[in-house]
Amino acid sequence: MKGFTSAFLFAFAVTASAGCSGDIKVTSQGDLDAIKSCKQYQGNIFIEGVGANRLDLKGVQSLTGDLIVKNNNALTSLDLDALKIVDGQLKLENNKILSKFLVTSLTGVRSFEAAVQPALSAIAFPAGLTQADRFMVSDTTATRIDGLKMQKVGNMIIDNNIYLKSVDLSNTTEIAGGLTVSANSPSLNLDLKSLSGVKDASFRNLAGINLDGLKGVSGDISFISNTFQELKLKEASEIAGTLTITNNDRLTKLTLPKLHRLGGALSLGQNKELAVIEAFPELEEVDGTLDITGTFDEVKLPKLSDVRGGLNVQTSSSKFSCNDMSKLKNGVIKGNSFLCKSAVAKPKPGMTSKGGAGGGADDLEGSAVSTQLAWFVVSAMSLVGTFFLL
């Protein structure tokens, strides 16, 4: 991230003192004590396979390089109390009994990663982490992540932390790359109320989410297997990729009042409590497929005028009528696939009938009969040919 780089170089562009540079492979506390007089250190620090149960990095306030802590089976406590800036990676990986991780002064890091930390129940940045290009917390037992104050982030992944109930991202306004929040505690509520833009985003297994400020998505965004009852993207006007909202069993209210264009597909599926789909009053253009399946009684798309892909609408409800969908055949649906069915035992997402312009069960049955007839004709011709050759 350019902003982080320039800020770092401006604040910490210093010449390392003698003895304050070079890579270090730590074997004991003594290796860290040897650099405690260095406020700035240039070089990578590797802490791997060390037998100590406690390690302290004293004195060093800024590190130009990586700090990698991995595969330390005896390590229970890591104290980086003085460290303020890491112009590189700060990575914790597979430290099986590490339960105490102190970064009291840390405010900036190029990349932070905590992965496979089964004893790490808390991750906190008391001074406020204001700069990070990449942030990842995966496979920990953390119940909270506190002190995230970044406004802009490159990429963020928070997944497989089964006890994680609290993450405050209310300061974050922009994520230039991808955001993934998945498979954490089923009671996790995510506050992203200040987020205005993101490239790609995936949200799974959330109890609640606030995206009130989201205006634009420059890639794909998905909401899958969440338990919240309401999903609002009230400021989002354009999504450059695909919008996926599937298997959200408790979702009863869906609101995207300003969305007018989708650069990819619209995929809505198996949101069992969503009886009426009327979330898209301004939607005019879908550049991919219109794929809507579930138990709904009605679909309202009053301004839809251009769908570059095909259409697949299937519901188990007998109350649903395909009349409105059939009207879209006349110049709106540009793709070759068109299928609309009601009272379906098991609605299936995706195109199930190719090349047709009709809908309903008769189309599928007709395709099967045509295939059987074609096979019969080919077989008969083969037999005739064989007869004349004989």
Side-chain angles (χ1 to χ4, degrees):
M1 182 181 294
K2 293 181 180 179
F4 178 86
T5 303
S6 60
F8 177 86
L9 292 177
F10 177 78
F12 295 96
V14 295
T15 303
S17 303
C20 295
S21 63
D23 292 351
I24 300 173
K25 185 175 181 181
V26 175
T27 58
S28 68
Q29 179 62 44
D31 295 317
L32 295 177
D33 289 342
I35 60 170
K36 66 181 181 180
S37 61
C38 304
K39 288 186 177 181
Q40 290 85 28
Y41 193 86
Q42 295 182 0
N44 301 311
I45 301 174
F46 301 97
I47 303 173
E48 183 173 0
V50 177
N53 60 20
R54 176 187 174 94
L55 290 172
D56 298 341
L57 179 61
K58 303 171 183 176
V60 178
Q61 296 180 12
S62 70
L63 173 66
T64 303
D66 299 336
L67 175 53
I68 309 297
V69 185
K70 62 185 294 186
N71 301 327
N72 299 285
N73 293 335
L75 188 63
T76 61
S77 175
L78 179 64
D79 190 341
L80 309 176
D81 186 56
L83 195 60
K84 296 180 179 179
I85 290 287
V86 179
D87 187 15
Q89 296 183 71
L90 174 51
K91 182 176 182 178
L92 310 177
E93 182 180 350
N94 195 33
N95 302 287
K96 294 180 180 178
I97 61 173
L98 180 65
S99 58
K100 187 178 181 182
F101 173 59
L102 299 178
V103 279
T104 308
S105 304
L106 191 69
T107 59
V109 60
R110 195 173 294 278
S111 173
F112 177 83
E113 179 178 338
V116 194
Q117 301 293 148
L120 192 60
S121 60
I123 298 175
F125 304 91
L129 188 64
T130 58
Q131 293 178 313
D133 186 16
R134 180 176 182 269
F135 186 88
M136 174 180 174
V137 176
S138 180
D139 290 295
T140 75
T141 55
T143 59
R144 304 176 59 88
I145 302 175
D146 292 325
L148 300 182
K149 302 298 182 182
M150 307 90 73
Q151 289 189 332
K152 296 182 179 181
V153 185
N155 292 278
M156 179 175 286
I157 299 172
I158 301 174
D159 66 359
N160 295 297
N161 307 285
I162 61 173
Y163 301 105
L164 185 63
K165 298 179 181 180
S166 177
V167 183
D168 185 0
L169 296 172
S170 60
N171 276 23
T172 304
T173 59
E174 180 184 344
I175 297 177
L179 169 62
T180 298
V181 183
S182 173
N184 300 295
S185 167
S187 63
L188 177 62
N189 281 272
L190 196 62
D191 186 356
L192 284 162
K193 62 186 176 187
S194 300
L195 184 67
S196 62
V198 64
K199 183 179 180 182
D200 296 297
S202 175
F203 304 102
R204 291 176 179 255
N205 319 112
L206 293 174
I209 187 168
N210 185 338
L211 288 166
D212 284 353
L214 185 63
K215 294 181 179 179
V217 180
S218 56
D220 300 333
I221 186 168
S222 63
F223 304 86
I224 301 173
S225 299
N226 300 287
T227 57
F228 45 67
Q229 293 181 311
E230 183 176 11
L231 176 59
K232 296 187 297 182
L233 287 90
K234 59 185 184 181
E235 296 298 326
S237 60
E238 183 169 343
I239 295 173
T242 292
L243 171 62
T244 302
I245 304 173
T246 60
N247 297 302
N248 303 287
D249 290 346
R250 300 181 186 177
L251 185 65
T252 59
K253 188 174 182 180
L254 178 62
T255 308
L256 291 91
K258 295 184 179 180
L259 184 68
H260 66 86
R261 178 181 177 271
L262 274 172
L266 174 60
S267 178
L268 306 179
Q270 305 306 321
N271 302 295
K272 297 178 181 179
E273 299 298 320
L274 200 59
V276 179
I277 297 172
E278 53 184 352
F280 309 98
E282 299 297 323
L283 184 61
E284 299 175 356
E285 179 183 330
V286 177
D287 290 352
T289 297
L290 191 65
D291 190 8
I292 305 175
T293 60
T295 61
F296 50 86
D297 299 326
E298 189 176 5
V299 175
K300 297 180 181 181
L301 297 166
K303 292 192 177 181
L304 189 63
S305 59
D306 187 5
V307 178
R308 310 288 173 85
L311 177 144
N312 176 53
V313 176
Q314 298 185 44
T315 178
S316 59
S317 172
S318 59
K319 298 178 182 179
F320 181 78
S321 170
C322 285
N323 289 341
D324 288 342
M325 295 299 105
S326 295
K327 294 175 184 177
L328 300 178
K329 293 179 186 179
N330 300 321
V332 176
I333 304 296
K334 308 298 193 304
N336 293 326
S337 299
F338 189 102
L339 178 64
C340 183
K341 299 173 70 176
S342 61
V344 179
K346 294 182 179 180
K348 296 180 180 180
M351 295 295 102
T352 55
S353 176
K354 295 183 179 180
D362 289 342
D363 293 308
L364 295 179
E365 291 172 4
S367 296
V369 170
S370 298
T371 302
Q372 292 173 2
L373 181 60
W375 179 85
F376 175 80
V377 171
V378 171
S379 299
M381 292 177 67
S382 297
L383 287 172
V384 171
T386 303
F387 175 80
F388 281 109
L389 285 172
L390 292 173

